[in-house]
Amino acid sequence: PVEAFLRSAKTSFIRLQAANDRKDLNDIREYTTPEMFAEISMQLQERDNTPQKTDVIAVNTVLLEVVTENDLAIASVRLSGELCENGAPAEHFDEIWHVQKNLKDDKAVWLMAGIQQL
């Protein structure tokens, strides 16, 4: 069902923000494709060691589309809302997450494959 999928997308968004703040590569690896993980790892290595704290104030999710390519289901989810970083004033965010799942593997979870800023 779409509601459960969107709830899970929201939870993943919040969890990935927290993992990003902590530079927790193990947690990030669980939620991303190998290509996306490599990209995020690189960004984290380039970041200095200033502590970062992101508070997610509100997240809205809309399922834009789901397509199947070979054995992959690929979904596009629009995430928008407000977050504040390091106690700064709240900022609006609006992005599309592309997530994918291996349909041949019963234990497969949705993995983030790309982020598109709007």
Side-chain angles (χ1 to χ4, degrees):
V2 173
E3 292 79 26
F5 173 79
L6 291 175
R7 243 195 329 274
S8 152
K10 203 176 278 197
T11 307
S12 299
F13 177 81
I14 293 167
R15 185 160 174 184
L16 277 165
Q17 290 295 335
N20 190 35
D21 287 350
R22 293 193 310 272
K23 291 188 170 184
D24 184 341
L25 291 175
N26 290 329
D27 210 19
I28 292 168
R29 185 182 282 119
E30 277 183 48
Y31 285 91
T32 54
T33 61
E35 300 77 13
M36 192 72 205
F37 175 73
E39 204 175 297
I40 293 173
S41 305
M42 227 166 49
Q43 290 170 359
L44 291 182
Q45 281 162 9
E46 289 166 3
R47 200 170 89 199
D48 64 20
N49 286 320
T50 310
Q52 185 170 305
K53 177 150 179 31
T54 306
D55 292 305
V56 179
I57 299 161
V59 189
N60 305 303
T61 52
V62 178
L63 182 60
L64 300 177
E65 70 168 353
V66 181
V67 295
T68 305
E69 281 178 21
N70 303 323
D71 297 316
L72 280 182
I74 302 165
S76 300
V77 183
R78 184 172 182 177
L79 293 130
S80 61
E82 308 243 314
L83 47 81
C84 83
E85 291 180 342
N86 303 325
E91 285 180 35
H92 183 72
F93 68 90
D94 197 350
E95 51 197 41
I96 295 173
W97 281 24
H98 302 285
V99 294
Q100 64 184 46
K101 183 178 186 173
N102 182 346
L103 297 173
K104 282 201 313 199
D105 179 356
D106 292 340
K107 295 195 178 82
V109 294
W110 289 97
L111 298 175
M112 190 216 298
I115 298 177
Q116 196 180 333
Q117 302 294 334
L118 293 177

